[in-house]
């Protein structure tokens, strides 16, 4: 169901040199450090809605402004694969 999107997200997180793990299908836990060296942890969850896959990013631990910078970088690298809908959500076609 989400395998193509999971593969894309795996490749993107690796390219951006994030430390991440995927304990259950469609849920990624991403760890990095902010510019001050503090721990920054956030989760990415794949959710299928109709014929689209929503990728929900949520901050788990760390500074919200730093999270926003990292999210912006991830979002910028997804431009060619995503559909424009909202500033805060990334949606992929379900067949992707």
């Amino acid at each position: 169901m989400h395998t193509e999107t999971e593969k894309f997200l795996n490749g993107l997180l690796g390219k951006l040199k994030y430390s991440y793990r995927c304990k259950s299908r469609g849920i990624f836990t991403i760890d990095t450090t902010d510019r001050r060296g503090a721990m920054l942890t956030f989760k990415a969850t794949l959710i299928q809605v109709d014929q689209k896959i929503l990728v929900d990013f949520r901050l788990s631990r760390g500074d919200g402004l730093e999270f926003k910078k990292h999210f912006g970088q991830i979002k910028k690298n997804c431009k060619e694969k995503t559909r424009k809908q909202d500033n805060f959500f990334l949606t992929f076609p379900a067949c992707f």
Side-chain angles (χ1 to χ4, degrees):
M1 177 164 93
H2 304 187
T3 55
E4 292 297 317
T5 307
E6 287 175 339
K7 287 178 188 176
F8 176 78
L9 199 54
N10 273 318
L12 178 63
L13 294 173
K15 174 183 157 189
L16 295 174
K17 296 186 178 21
Y18 284 113
S19 171
Y20 66 95
R21 58 193 175 280
C22 186
K23 285 193 174 183
S24 49
R25 189 169 167 87
I27 301 174
F28 293 81
T29 302
I30 305 152
D31 297 310
T32 188
T33 55
D34 65 15
R35 61 189 167 97
R36 294 174 296 162
M39 186 67 140
L40 182 66
T41 303
F42 51 99
K43 291 191 183 287
T45 306
L46 304 179
I47 305 165
Q48 184 159 2
V49 179
D50 296 329
Q51 296 299 315
K52 301 174 191 165
I53 296 175
L54 173 75
V55 184
D56 178 45
F57 287 86
R58 293 180 187 251
L59 177 64
S60 294
R61 176 183 301 149
D63 182 26
L65 291 175
E66 287 291 324
F67 167 72
K68 189 173 180 179
K69 289 177 187 176
H70 286 273
F71 174 74
Q73 187 177 27
I74 292 169
K75 184 177 175 183
K76 184 173 74 173
N77 282 278
C78 291
K79 280 227 190 260
E80 67 213 30
K81 299 286 185 183
T82 60
R83 293 183 178 170
K84 180 72 175 164
Q85 279 207 302
D86 195 336
N87 287 337
F88 301 107
F89 297 106
L90 297 178
T91 56
F92 294 88
C95 60
F96 163 61

